[in-house]
C-alpha cells in the first residue's frame, strides 16, 4: 500500500517523494521522548503539491502530518503518517505591509527570516522561541509557540490575523475573525464550508459557559484547543481557534500575521536573588514595570554550563546570586531603555532585601546574557557526571504572581520522586522550563514517571495553571487533559476535531484520543542498547558508541541558516536537506543501532549517503548544544562500512597524502610536472577522484624539514620548544614553519623538530582508515614523548593537526599517559605567543586584516588567544561570520563534493575576501582554508606565524630559498622513489589481504 501511494505521489507532484527506509528513519522522531516511523515523506515545492498529496493520502486512507523544523518537544511531529516537510521550499515571506503591520508567510518560513524583514521597519513578530533562527512559522502555528518576548505581544495565536487551511477531505478555505452577519451568510451558503461554520457555532453555543469557567485566565495557556476564540466576545476567530491544534485538524498552507513595534534600543536589568524561588516571587513586581521580556535562570543551570565547559563569558556578566531574573526594556533611544531599567533598580531599593542588580547597556553584554538563557535546553542535556535529563514536564505555566510558590511545590514533588531539575524559563508569563532525570529505560521507571505526571498535573491545576505553557500537549500531556478541562470540555475537543477531520486522519493520537503517555517511547523499556566494538573509546559517553548515538536531543540548532560565526552545519546550509544536518545524521545512526527502519547496521547505504556530505568540520562538537561530534561518528562508521571493501579513489589519493608527499619530496619538480601540467594534471585528477575544477596544490622545492636540518639555531641553550612539521606545512607551505622558527628564535626559544617524519593521521579519519591513523599516532607518541616529558611544548601550526592531538588522540587512546601528555602539551603558535605575553617581542603593525579561522580552531581549540595576539599586533580585525570555508581537508577537492564546497564558501567567506581592500592582510592558519581562498580569489593568504615574522623584519620565503642548498636531490630520486613506492605498495597489499581475510559482517554485534 505504501509503495502504491508513493508511486501515485511521484506521478502527481513536482516536489520530492521519499518513502525509502533512510528517509523514514530521518523523520521517526522530533525533539521529544517519542518515536514513530512514518509511512513516507513528501517535500512539496508548491502549495498545489500539498493539495495533491492530501488528495492522494485520502484516496489511500493514509494519515497526514504537517512538519516544519521538527523541534516539537511533546511528540507532535512524529506519527505513522505521511509527513509533509514544508521547510525546504515553502519558506518565503510572501508580503509585508509595514503600514498595516501585517505579514503573509508560507508555512516553512523561518521565524528569523520574517523578523529580519520586519525589523527594517522597526517591527517584529512578538513570539520568539529560543529556536527562532531555525524553527518555522508553520510549526509555531501548530504548537501555539510563545518565547522570550511573548510578554510584549502574547502567544502565536494572539498574533494571527488569518489562515489559509486545507482539510483532509480537500476543502481549502481562508479563516479568520467572523462577524455575526458574515457567519450567518457562510452558514446560509451551505456546502462543506457552511457545515463547518454551522457546527462551530453550535459548539461554542453548547460549551460557551463551560469554556469561560474552565479555561485558565493566564498568559500562557497553551494546552487544549483554543475554543475560547470561538466565543462571540473574541470575534468567532476561527484562525486563532485552529492555532495550537498541532496538525490534528487542518494543514496550514499560509498565514497572515500581525506585527508589533520593535523598540530599536534595549537595556537589561539582571537581578540576582538568593535562589530561584525568590526570583519567582519577584516576577509579578518586575512585570508591572513593563519589560518587553522577563526571563529566569537558576544556579543549577549555571553549574551545568560549567560542567559542560560552555562559554563562561555568559556567566561572568551575572550579578551575585543563585537565581536570576533578566528584564529587558526597550525604548526609542538607549537612554530611554536604560532609564526604565534604572527605575526598576530604584523601586527595588525601596523594598526590603533588594536583589543585586546589574544594568547591561552594551549589546555585547546583553548578547552574552541571552546566550546563557537560550542555552537552557542544551545545557541541561547530557551533563557530565549527572543522570540524563528528559522532557515530559518541561513547560507548565501558572499565573505570574504565583511562580515562586509553584516552583517551591514543584521542587518538593521532584524530591518526593527522587528527581531533580534546574528551573528556568519565561517567569514574566508564568511559564517554567525544566528537564528532569526521569528513568524511562526500565518499566518501573516509566511507571514512576507516569505517576509523577498525574501529581504534577494536579499541582499545576491547583494553581489555576496549564499543563503546557509553550510546547503543546502532543503525546506528553494529552492524556492529562481531562484533569485540566474536565470530561465535558474534552468531549468538546473531540467534537472540534471531528468538525474538521471526521475521518480522524490528521495527526491521529495527539490531543484527542491520545496515545498513552508511556507508549511509543524512543528510549523506553523496550529499547535494548546493542554492544558494538569501536575504534574510538568515547570517554564522554561512558565508553559506548550507542550512548553517543542518542546524544542528539533534536532541538535542531544545526538547521540554522544564519551565519553568526558558528560553524555548524555547512552541508545543511548548502542543501537544506534534513539528512545533511547534524541532527539528521545523528538520527540515522540511532536508527541504525535501533534496528527498526534501518536494518543493515554498519553496512547501511542510507547512513553512508547522509555522512558522505559531512565535512568533518567538527562544528557540531563546538556549536551543538549537546556537543554531538559527527566527525568522529563518521570516521567510526566508515571504518566499519568499508571494512574489507575498496574505498572511493579519493580515499587513496588524498587520505594517503602523507605517504604520497614523502614520495614527492624526493623530486618535487617531477611531482609538480604531474600535478601542474595541463593534460597530465587532468588525468591525475581523474584517476584520484579529484574535481577537475580544482588546482592541485604545488609541492615546495624544498621541504621545511630539509631546510631545518641546514638551519643553524640562534639559541642553542634557550628554552626548548618542539615545532611539529605537519604534512601540509612541511611539503606544501614550508614558509609558514620557517616563519614560526624565526619568530620563536627571536623570542629566545631553542626550536627543535621531531627526530623522524610524523603525521597526526588527520586525512585518514574522514575515510575511516582508523587502523592506519592509530599506527601514525603511536609513532608520534613514541617519537615525541621524551621531549614532552622534559616539559617542552609542541607547537603545531595546522589547526586540524592540533585538534587531532587534543581531541581524536585521547578518544582513541584514553588510558595512555603519552596520549594525555601529548594532548596537554600541544599548543598552537598563537596560544604560545599569548601565554608568553610581554616576553614575546611582537611587532606593531598598523594594518587591516581579514581573519578566517579554521573550523577545528573554532570548534575544538577556540580562537580567543589568536584574536588577542592579532590585536596586540595592532591589526584592525575583520572576522566575517563565515563558518567552515567549505574545503574541509580533502572534502572540497573531491569531484562529487565540489559544488557543496563552493556553495559553503560563497555564503560569506569568498564575498568578504573579494570585498577586502588590496592592503588588507588575509590571515588564515588552515591549509585547506588557504587553498579554498587562493583557488577562488586571486589573493595571497598568510599564516599568523608569517604575519609575525614579516612584522619582525624577516622574509621567510627568501630565508627558505637561501637555506635550501642544491643537494643531491636528482641523484637520490630513483632510489628514494623506489624504496618509498615499494614500502607503500607492500603496506597497502598487506592491508587488503588482512581486510579480505575478515568476515563480511554487516551486523553490529
Amino acid at each position: 500500500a505504501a509503495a502504491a501511494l508513493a508511486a501515485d505521489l511521484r506521478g502527481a507532484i513536482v516536489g520530492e517523494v521519499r518513502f525509502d527506509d533512510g528517509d523514514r528513519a530521518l523523520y521517526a522522531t522530533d525533539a521529544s521522548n517519542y518515536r514513530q516511523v512514518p509511512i513516507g515523506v513528501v517535500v512539496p515545492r508548491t502549495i498545489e503539491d500539498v493539495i495533491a498529496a492530501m488528495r492522494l493520502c485520502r484516496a489511500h486512507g493514509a494519515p497526514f502530518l504537517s512538519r516544519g523544523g521538527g523541534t516539537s518537544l511533546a511528540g507532535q511531529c512524529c506519527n505513522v503518517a505521511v509527513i509533509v516537510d514544508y521547510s525546504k521550499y515553502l519558506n518565503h515571506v510572501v508580503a509585508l505591509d509595514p503600514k498595516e503591520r501585517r505579514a503573509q508567510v508560507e508555512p516553512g518560513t523561518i521565524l528569523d527570516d520574517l523578523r529580519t524583514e520586519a525589523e527594517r521597519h522597526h517591527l517584529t513578530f512578538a513570539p520568539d522561541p529560543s529556536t527562532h533562527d531555525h524553527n518555522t512559522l508553520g510549526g509555531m502555528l501548530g504548537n501555539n509557540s510563545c518565547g522570550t518576548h511573548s510578554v510584549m505581544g502574547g502567544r502565536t495565536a494572539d498574533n494571527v490575523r488569518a489562515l489559509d487551511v486545507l482539510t483532509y477531505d480537500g476543502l481549502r478555505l481562508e479563516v479568520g475573525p467572523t462577524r455575526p452577519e458574515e457567519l450567518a451568510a457562510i452558514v446560509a451558503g451551505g456546502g462543506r464550508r457552511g457545515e463547518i461554520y454551522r457546527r462551530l457555532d453550535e459548539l461554542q453555543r453548547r460549551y460557551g459557559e463551560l469554556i469561560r469557567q474552565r479555561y485558565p485566565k493566564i498568559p500562557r495557556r497553551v494546552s487544549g484547543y483554543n475554543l475560547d476564540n470561538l466565543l462571540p466576545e473574541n470575534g468567532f476567530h476561527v484562525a486563532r481557534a485552529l492555532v495550537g491544534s498541532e496538525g490534528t485538524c487542518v494543514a496550514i498552507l499560509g498565514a497572515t500575521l500581525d506585527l508589533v513595534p520593535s523598540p530599536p534600543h534595549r537595556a537589561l536589568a539582571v537581578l540576582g536573588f538568593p535562589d530561584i524561588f525568590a526570583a519567582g516571587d519577584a516576577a509579578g513586581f518586575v512585570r508591572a514595570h513593563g519589560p518587553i521580556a522577563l526571563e529566569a535562570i537558576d544556579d543549577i543551570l549555571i553549574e551545568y554550563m560549567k560542567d559542560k565547559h560552555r562559554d563562561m563569558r555568559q556567566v561572568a556578566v551575572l550579578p551575585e546570586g543563585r537565581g536570576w531574573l533578566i528584564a529587558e526594556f526597550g525604548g526609542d533611544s538607549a537612554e530611554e531603555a536604560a532609564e526604565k531599567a534604572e527605575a526598576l533598580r530604584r523601586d527595588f531599593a525601596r523594598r526590603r532585601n533588594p536583589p543585586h542588580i546589574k544594568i547591561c547597556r552594551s549589546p555585547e553584554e546583553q548578547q552574552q546574557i541571552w546566550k546563557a538563557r537560550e542555552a537552557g535546553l542544551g545545557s541541561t542535556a547530557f551533563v557530565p557526571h549527572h543522570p540524563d535529563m528528559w522532557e515530559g514536564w518541561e513547560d507548565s505555566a501558572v499565573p505570574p504572581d504565583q511562580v515562586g510558590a509553584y516552583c517551591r511545590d514543584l521542587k518538593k514533588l521532584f524530591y518526593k520522586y527522587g528527581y531533580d531539575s534546574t528551573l528556568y524559563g519565561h517567569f514574566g508569563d508564568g511559564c517554567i522550563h525544566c528537564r528532569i532525570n526521569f528513568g524511562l529505560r526500565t518499566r518501573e521507571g516509566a511507571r514512576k514517571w507516569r505517576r509523577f505526571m498525574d501529581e504534577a498535573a494536579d499541582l499545576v491545576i491547583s494553581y489555576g495553571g496549564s499543563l503546557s505553557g509553550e510546547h503543546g500537549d502532543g503525546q506528553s500531556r494529552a492524556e492529562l487533559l481531562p484533569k485540566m478541562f474536565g470530561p465535558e470540555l474534552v468531549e468538546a475537543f473531540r467534537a472540534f476535531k471531528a468538525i474538521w477531520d471526521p475521518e480522524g486522519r490528521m495527526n491521529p493520537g495527539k490531543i484527542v484520543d491520545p496515545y498513552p503517555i508511556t507508549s511509543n517511547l524512543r528510549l523506553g523499556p523496550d529499547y535494548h542498547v546493542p554492544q558494538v566494538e569501536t575504534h574510538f573509546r568515547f570517554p564522554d559517553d561512558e565508553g559506548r558508541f550507542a550512548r553517543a548515538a542518542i546524544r542528539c536531543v533534536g532541538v535542531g540548532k544545526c538547521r540554522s541558516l544564519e551565519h553568526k560565526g558558528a560553524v555548524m552545519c555547512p552541508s545543511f546550509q548548502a542543501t537544506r536537506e534534513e539528512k545533511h544536518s547534524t541532527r539528521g545524521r545523528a538520527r540515522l545512526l540511532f536508527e541504525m543501532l535501533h534496528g527498526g527502519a534501518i536494518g543493515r547496521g554498519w553496512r547501511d547505504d542510507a547512513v553512508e549517503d547522509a555522512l558522505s556530505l559531512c565535512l568533518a568540520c567538527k562544528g557540531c562538537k563546538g556549536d551543538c548544544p549537546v556537543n554531538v561530534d559527527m566527525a568522529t561518528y563518521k570516521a567510526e562508521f566508515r571504518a566499519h562500512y568499508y571494512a574489507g571493501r575498496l574505498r572511493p579513489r579519493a580515499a587513496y589519493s588524498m587520505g594517503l597524502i602523507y605517504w604520497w608527499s614523502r614520495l614527492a619530496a624526493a623530486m618535487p619538480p617531477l611531482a609538480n610536472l604531474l600535478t601542474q601540467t595541463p593534460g597530465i594534471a587532468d588525468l591525475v585528477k581523474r584517476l584520484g577522484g579529484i574535481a577537475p575544477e580544482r588546482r592541485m596544490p604545488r609541492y615546495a622545492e624544498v621541504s621545511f624539514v630539509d631546510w631545518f636540518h641546514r638551519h643553524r639555531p640562534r639559541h642553542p641553550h634557550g628554552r626548548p620548544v618542539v615545532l611539529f612539521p605537519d604534512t601540509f606545512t612541511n611539503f606544501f607551505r614550508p614558509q609558514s614553519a620557517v616563519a614560526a622558527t624565526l619568530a620563536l628564535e627571536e623570542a629566545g626559544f631553542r626550536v627543535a623538530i621531531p627526530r623522524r617524519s610524523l603525521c597526526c593521521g588527520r586525512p585518514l579519519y574522514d575515510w575511516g582508515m582508523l587502523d592506519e591513523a592509530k599506527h601514525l599516532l603511536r609513532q608520534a607518541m613514541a617519537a615525541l614523548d621524551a621531549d614532552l616529558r622534559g616539559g617542552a611544548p609542541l607547537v603545531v601550526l595546522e589547526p586540524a593537526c592540533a585538534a587531532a592531538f587534543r581531541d581524536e588522540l585521547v578518544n582513541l587512546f584514553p588510558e595512555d599517559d603519552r596520549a594525555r601528555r601529548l594532548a596537554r602539551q600541544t599548543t598552537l603558535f598563537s596560544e604560545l605567543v599569548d601565554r608568553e605575553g610581554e616576553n614575546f617581542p611582537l611587532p606593531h603593525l598598523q594594518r587591516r586584516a581579514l581573519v578566517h579561522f579554521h573550523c577545528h580552531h573554532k570548534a575544538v581549540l577556540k580562537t580567543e588567544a589568536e584574536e588577542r595576539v592579532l590585536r596586540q599586533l595592532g591589526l584592525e580585525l575583520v572576522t566575517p561570520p563565515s563558518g567552515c570555508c567549505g574545503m574541509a581537508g580533502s572534502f572540497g577537492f573531491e569531484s562529487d563534493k565540489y559544488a557543496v564546497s563552493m556553495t559553503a564558501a560563497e555564503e560569506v567567506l569568498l564575498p568578504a575576501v573579494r570585498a577586502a581592500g588590496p592592503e588588507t592582510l588575509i590571515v588564515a592558519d588552515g591549509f585547506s582554508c588557504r587553498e579554498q581562498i587562493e583557488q577562488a580569489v586571486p589573493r595571497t593568504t598568510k599564516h599568523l606565524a608569517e604575519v609575525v615574522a614579516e612584522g619582525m623584519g624577516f622574509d621567510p620565503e627568501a630565508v627558505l630559498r637561501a637555506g635550501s642548498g642544491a643537494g643531491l636531490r636528482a641523484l637520490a630520486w630513483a632510489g628514494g622513489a623506489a624504496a618509498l613506492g615499494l614500502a607503500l605498495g607492500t603496506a597497502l597489499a598487506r592491508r587488503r589481504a588482512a581486510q579480505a581475510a575478515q568476515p563480511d559482517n554487516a551486523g553490529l554485534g
Side-chain angles (χ1 to χ4, degrees):
L5 173 55
D8 287 350
L9 285 165
R10 291 189 181 100
I13 72 172
V14 295
E16 298 158 16
V17 178
R18 303 172 178 181
F19 275 53
D20 61 34
D21 290 346
D23 285 300
R24 294 170 60 236
L26 275 172
Y27 289 83
T29 188
D30 46 19
S32 72
N33 293 328
Y34 299 100
R35 173 184 178 273
Q36 292 174 279
V37 180
I39 297 167
V41 179
V42 172
V43 183
R45 286 182 179 270
T46 65
I47 294 299
E48 288 69 28
D49 278 353
V50 182
I51 295 170
M54 184 76 84
R55 173 175 54 80
L56 289 169
C57 283
R58 183 172 67 255
H60 287 264
F64 186 101
L65 170 55
S66 296
R67 177 164 160 146
T71 59
S72 295
L73 283 159
Q76 300 97 318
C77 276
C78 55
N79 215 325
V80 182
V82 172
I83 291 181
V84 178
D85 183 348
Y86 300 88
S87 64
K88 186 175 181 181
Y89 299 116
L90 296 176
N91 51 31
H92 302 96
V93 177
V94 177
L96 194 149
D97 185 339
K99 186 175 180 180
E100 292 291 323
R101 296 181 181 173
R102 179 178 64 204
Q104 290 178 270
V105 299
E106 292 179 324
T109 304
I110 294 172
L111 171 59
D112 270 4
D113 288 350
L114 171 61
R115 294 171 74 207
T116 298
E117 287 201 32
E119 284 290 353
R120 297 191 183 106
H121 309 282
H122 303 296
L123 299 171
T124 193
F125 187 67
D128 59 340
S130 60
T131 53
H132 52 81
D133 65 356
H134 59 278
N135 69 6
T136 67
L137 284 156
M140 293 180 66
L141 291 161
N143 293 348
N144 198 8
S145 300
C146 303
T148 300
H149 290 95
S150 62
V151 170
M152 178 171 67
R155 308 163 301 166
T156 295
D158 304 317
N159 294 273
V160 169
R161 194 171 295 195
L163 295 178
D164 179 6
V165 301
L166 178 69
T167 66
Y168 189 75
D169 55 11
L171 177 67
R172 181 180 182 181
L173 68 164
E174 182 164 311
V175 296
T178 317
R179 299 186 306 276
E181 60 274 20
E182 184 182 1
L183 173 61
I186 293 171
V187 172
R192 178 76 171 109
R193 184 184 184 216
E195 177 195 3
I196 288 172
Y197 275 74
R198 175 183 58 79
R199 293 176 63 187
L200 290 175
D201 187 38
E202 290 173 353
L203 184 74
Q204 70 87 12
R205 291 176 186 275
R206 178 178 178 182
Y207 292 101
E209 286 307 311
L210 201 56
I211 292 169
R212 294 180 182 96
Q213 294 169 16
R214 294 298 300 263
Y215 271 54
K217 306 298 189 292
I218 59 175
R220 285 294 192 96
R221 195 277 307 155
V222 172
S223 281
Y225 288 134
N226 290 333
L227 301 186
D228 52 333
N229 278 297
L230 294 177
L231 298 175
E233 60 266 31
N234 294 327
F236 199 81
H237 206 307
V238 179
R240 292 181 177 179
L242 285 169
V243 173
S245 56
E246 301 181 2
T248 62
C249 296
V250 297
I252 296 173
L253 305 180
T256 303
L257 306 174
D258 289 322
L259 305 175
V260 299
S262 177
H265 297 276
R266 313 287 174 100
L268 294 185
V270 187
L271 297 80
F273 295 88
D275 53 41
I276 194 64
F277 312 118
D281 292 336
F285 178 78
V286 178
R287 181 182 167 116
H289 283 72
I292 60 175
L294 180 52
E295 301 292 291
I297 53 178
D298 70 358
D299 57 326
I300 299 177
L301 179 62
I302 298 303
E303 289 304 312
Y304 286 172
M305 291 176 66
K306 292 177 181 177
D307 289 342
K308 297 185 77 168
H309 308 293
R310 300 193 73 87
D311 189 347
M312 288 299 101
R313 289 177 297 178
Q314 300 167 9
V315 177
V317 293
L318 294 173
E320 182 182 341
R322 299 189 67 182
W324 295 268
L325 288 180
I326 305 163
E328 183 179 53
F329 295 93
D332 292 330
S333 67
E335 292 72 22
E336 180 187 354
E339 171 53 31
K340 292 178 181 178
E342 292 290 353
L344 176 66
R345 191 210 300 263
R346 289 194 296 271
D347 280 3
F348 261 114
R350 301 185 186 103
R351 295 164 64 97
R352 292 182 59 189
N353 302 317
H356 299 278
I357 301 179
K358 180 176 183 178
I359 308 298
C360 298
R361 302 189 183 198
S362 77
E364 292 76 21
E365 277 193 322
Q366 293 180 37
Q367 185 181 41
Q368 293 304 326
I369 292 288
W370 286 128
K371 280 183 178 179
R373 168 58 190 87
E374 290 184 358
L377 190 153
S379 296
T380 58
F382 292 93
V383 183
H385 315 300
H386 289 78
D388 292 343
M389 317 293 274
W390 304 102
E391 58 273 11
W393 189 258
E394 77 284 343
D395 69 321
S396 54
V398 295
D401 59 359
Q402 295 293 309
V403 169
Y406 172 66
C407 285
R408 290 182 181 91
D409 286 343
L410 186 59
K411 273 283 187 178
K412 291 176 184 175
L413 187 62
F414 291 163
Y415 296 150
K416 174 181 176 180
Y417 279 85
Y419 297 149
D420 198 8
S421 172
T422 182
L423 295 174
Y424 65 101
H426 314 287
F427 278 24
D429 270 346
C431 181
I432 291 85
H433 287 322
C434 53
R435 286 175 71 90
I436 305 170
N437 55 323
F438 300 127
L440 306 182
R441 304 287 183 84
T442 67
R443 300 203 181 280
E444 176 51 36
R447 283 194 289 266
K448 185 169 82 166
W449 172 47
R450 185 64 184 81
R451 293 194 299 271
F452 166 83
M453 294 291 280
D454 272 325
E455 285 203 52
D458 291 338
L459 174 63
V460 75
I461 292 164
S462 73
Y463 275 90
S466 175
L467 306 172
S468 171
E470 182 158 41
H471 299 147
D473 300 313
Q475 187 174 344
S476 289
R477 289 171 288 273
E479 201 179 6
L480 302 171
L481 288 174
K483 285 178 173 285
M484 178 175 169
F485 291 100
E488 289 182 272
L489 279 181
V490 168
E491 188 58 38
F493 295 162
R494 188 173 287 112
F496 181 74
K497 175 177 170 60
I499 290 170
W500 298 101
D501 177 31
E503 295 183 53
R505 309 305 277 170
M506 297 293 289
N507 202 12
K510 311 296 165 85
I511 300 184
V512 170
D513 300 320
Y515 298 109
I517 290 173
T518 55
S519 65
N520 301 322
L521 290 175
R522 182 168 68 98
L523 294 169
D526 295 327
Y527 177 61
H528 303 292
V529 183
Q531 298 300 315
V532 294
E533 292 294 326
T534 58
H535 295 269
F536 287 103
R537 304 292 293 277
F538 302 102
D540 292 335
D541 288 294
E542 302 171 357
R544 296 182 294 124
F545 178 74
R547 178 173 167 79
I550 67 169
R551 181 172 281 273
C552 174
V553 295
V555 72
K557 186 178 179 183
C558 49
R559 288 173 54 94
S560 173
L561 298 172
E562 294 188 7
H563 297 273
K564 297 179 179 177
V567 182
M568 180 181 71
C569 178
S571 51
F572 176 79
Q573 291 170 352
T575 67
R576 287 204 176 197
E577 285 283 352
E578 175 72 15
K579 69 179 178 181
H580 295 312
S581 69
T582 303
R583 181 180 72 179
R585 295 177 180 120
R587 292 301 195 224
L588 286 176
L589 288 168
F590 167 78
E591 292 291 332
M592 177 190 82
L593 294 178
H594 190 283
I598 292 178
R600 296 197 64 219
W602 293 119
R603 297 296 204 193
D604 198 274
D605 292 336
V607 182
E608 166 59 19
D609 179 52
L611 289 171
S612 66
L613 282 192
C614 170
L615 283 80
C617 66
K618 299 186 82 72
C620 46
K621 173 97 174 181
D623 297 337
C624 170
V626 290
N627 309 113
V628 166
D629 185 3
M630 194 53 61
T632 297
Y633 307 166
K634 176 184 180 180
E636 185 67 55
F637 173 82
R638 281 188 154 181
H640 299 273
Y641 181 80
Y642 283 115
R645 295 173 168 179
L646 282 175
R647 289 168 168 82
R649 287 169 293 166
Y652 303 104
S653 65
M654 288 175 283
L656 304 179
I657 190 68
Y658 168 61
W659 289 280
W660 292 123
S661 297
R662 291 177 66 188
L663 185 65
M667 192 62 176
L670 180 57
N672 290 331
L673 177 71
L674 295 174
T675 60
Q676 307 300 315
T677 306
I680 300 175
D682 294 338
L683 177 61
V684 171
K685 286 188 282 188
R686 189 157 54 248
L687 290 173
I690 296 169
E693 299 88 345
R694 287 295 182 194
R695 183 175 67 249
M696 298 280 284
R698 188 179 189 88
Y699 281 100
E701 292 299 316
V702 59
S703 72
F704 166 70
V705 170
D706 284 351
W707 173 85
F708 189 86
H709 287 321
R710 298 183 181 92
H711 174 64
R712 176 177 293 180
R714 289 177 55 189
H715 301 288
H717 303 294
R719 288 173 296 158
V721 63
V722 180
L723 184 61
F724 184 76
D726 65 87
T727 298
F728 302 105
T729 304
N730 185 35
F731 296 113
F732 295 102
R733 294 183 184 263
Q735 64 271 23
S736 298
V738 171
T741 302
L742 299 174
L744 289 167
E745 289 183 339
E746 184 73 6
F749 286 98
R750 172 170 56 88
V751 181
I753 65 172
R755 296 167 182 81
R756 60 165 298 173
S757 179
L758 299 174
C759 178
C760 70
R762 168 64 67 195
L764 299 167
Y765 298 131
D766 193 53
W767 292 104
M769 296 177 171
L770 297 183
D771 286 332
E772 291 83 355
K774 287 190 285 187
H775 173 69
L776 291 177
L777 288 172
R778 289 189 186 98
Q779 285 184 346
M781 288 190 288
L784 295 168
D785 198 51
D787 287 318
L788 296 178
R789 284 180 182 274
L794 180 71
V795 175
V796 182
L797 300 177
E798 172 58 45
C801 299
F805 287 147
R806 296 230 292 240
D807 188 9
E808 278 88 353
L809 176 64
V810 290
N811 199 338
L812 288 166
F813 303 99
E815 297 171 2
D816 193 318
D817 288 339
R818 299 175 306 167
R820 290 194 289 268
R821 190 157 39 248
L822 177 51
R824 187 170 56 249
Q825 290 174 231
T826 292
T827 181
L828 291 170
F829 176 79
S830 57
E831 292 172 331
L832 180 66
V833 174
D834 183 57
R835 205 158 51 234
E836 286 292 301
E838 294 182 358
N839 294 326
F840 204 101
L842 284 175
H844 193 74
L845 310 173
Q846 292 290 343
R847 294 189 66 177
R848 186 178 177 88
L850 185 150
V851 184
H852 173 75
F853 293 108
H854 188 286
C855 48
H856 291 182
H857 197 165
K858 285 189 275 193
V860 177
L861 309 170
K862 306 308 178 185
T863 64
E864 288 83 359
E866 184 136 341
E867 292 178 68
R868 284 192 293 269
V869 172
L870 287 163
R871 290 192 177 92
Q872 287 165 15
L873 285 166
L875 295 170
E876 178 188 349
L877 300 189
V878 178
T879 54
S882 48
C884 179
C885 72
M887 186 66 87
S890 68
F891 181 92
F893 281 99
E894 297 170 40
S895 55
D896 57 340
K897 312 292 174 52
Y898 176 78
V900 171
S901 171
M902 295 308 298
T903 299
E906 291 288 359
E907 285 285 333
V908 175
L909 176 60
L910 294 184
V913 173
R914 293 189 190 102
E919 296 303 314
T920 299
L921 283 170
I922 310 297
V923 181
D925 292 349
F927 174 80
S928 56
C929 309
R930 299 178 73 178
E931 284 294 317
Q932 182 76 303
I933 293 169
E934 292 181 4
Q935 292 203 19
V937 184
R939 292 297 300 268
T940 300
T941 61
K942 299 284 185 183
H943 190 286
L944 174 65
E946 295 174 68
V947 176
V948 172
E950 290 172 12
M952 290 174 168
F954 296 110
D955 184 342
E957 293 195 21
V959 172
L960 179 66
R961 288 193 300 270
S964 64
L968 298 174
R969 192 178 304 279
L971 293 177
W973 162 251
L980 284 170
L982 179 62
L984 181 61
T986 302
L988 289 174
R990 287 176 177 172
R991 173 67 174 154
R992 283 196 291 270
Q995 290 175 340
Q998 294 178 355
D1000 187 1
N1001 181 10
L1004 290 161

